Amino acid sequence: MSKVVNGRMTHRHEGELVVFHIGMQINRWWRPDLWLPAFMAMPRMLRELSMDKESGFLGYQLLVGNGGPYVVQYWSSVEKLYAYASAPAQEHRPAWTAFNKAARKAPGAVGVWHETFLVERAESIYVSTRPMGLAKATEHVAVAGRHERAQARFVDGRTAASAPAPSGSD
């Protein structure tokens, strides 16, 4: 387990940033035969992604929400996220196929959801915490100079998603 980093820290990231939330809602807790396979698929996917530096996967945070577990994932591009999701040789496609097959047998027993965000700006602060969240997925750096205030970190927190489009000549 990582050690607590004393002081005020933030994240640093250059380039596109995608935040992807994915989770499951367990509607019939007493039926682990219906939800456990979907639950067990996520660690395999996270392990696979964490080992593949070219995947675009930057990191993740495991959480428990209302109804079940979910994961906040950080990606370097929307294209790489969708490429992983649709790759037949990766863990996701077989897991998704198995989930859909099981869901047809017991509709409503377990739900899955996701939300994808292309981030224009990102600001963060971590005071005396272990590296976590966005800073763990990107770069964990000390807050310096004018970045003591959230507004200044936010102003400078532009990502590639907010970069002006290149102008072309016609």
Side-chain angles (χ1 to χ4, degrees):
M1 179 175 266
S2 11
K3 293 184 178 187
V4 169
V5 178
N6 290 322
R8 297 168 57 85
M9 305 297 287
T10 189
H11 79 280
R12 180 171 40 220
H13 178 70
E14 303 270 335
E16 188 169 305
L17 178 63
V18 176
V19 178
F20 180 68
H21 292 207
I22 185 165
M24 64 186 297
Q25 183 172 309
I26 301 170
N27 300 320
R28 297 184 189 148
W29 285 95
W30 61 93
R31 293 293 309 270
D33 59 310
L34 300 174
W35 58 262
L36 193 58
F39 179 81
M40 297 304 293
M42 185 55 71
R44 289 191 309 269
M45 287 183 259
L46 293 171
R47 189 170 27 262
E48 175 180 66
L49 286 164
S50 295
M51 292 172 38
D52 181 1
K53 299 302 176 197
E54 301 301 314
S55 68
F57 183 71
L58 300 173
Y60 67 94
Q61 186 81 35
L62 294 170
L63 303 164
V64 177
N66 190 14
Y70 71 99
V71 183
V72 177
Q73 297 180 2
Y74 304 96
W75 289 79
S76 66
S77 78
V78 172
E79 290 76 22
K80 288 185 176 187
L81 167 62
Y82 291 153
Y84 175 76
S86 62
Q90 304 281 42
E91 291 283 343
H92 178 264
R93 285 305 300 164
W96 183 238
T97 300
F99 170 78
N100 283 313
K101 184 177 178 182
R104 283 191 291 278
K105 290 180 183 175
V110 61
V112 295
W113 60 272
H114 80 250
E115 301 171 345
T116 307
F117 306 92
L118 179 59
V119 178
E120 180 178 321
R121 292 175 189 254
E123 180 275 323
S124 63
I125 189 74
Y126 309 90
V127 180
S128 298
T129 67
R130 291 176 179 85
M132 60 183 283
L134 184 55
K136 185 176 180 185
T138 59
E139 187 178 0
H140 195 227
V141 297
V143 171
R146 68 181 214 88
H147 292 116
E148 283 293 324
R149 300 189 50 83
Q151 291 134 329
R153 289 189 305 274
F154 189 73
V155 166
D156 289 346
R158 289 187 169 276
T159 69
S162 62
S167 59
S169 57
D170 293 313

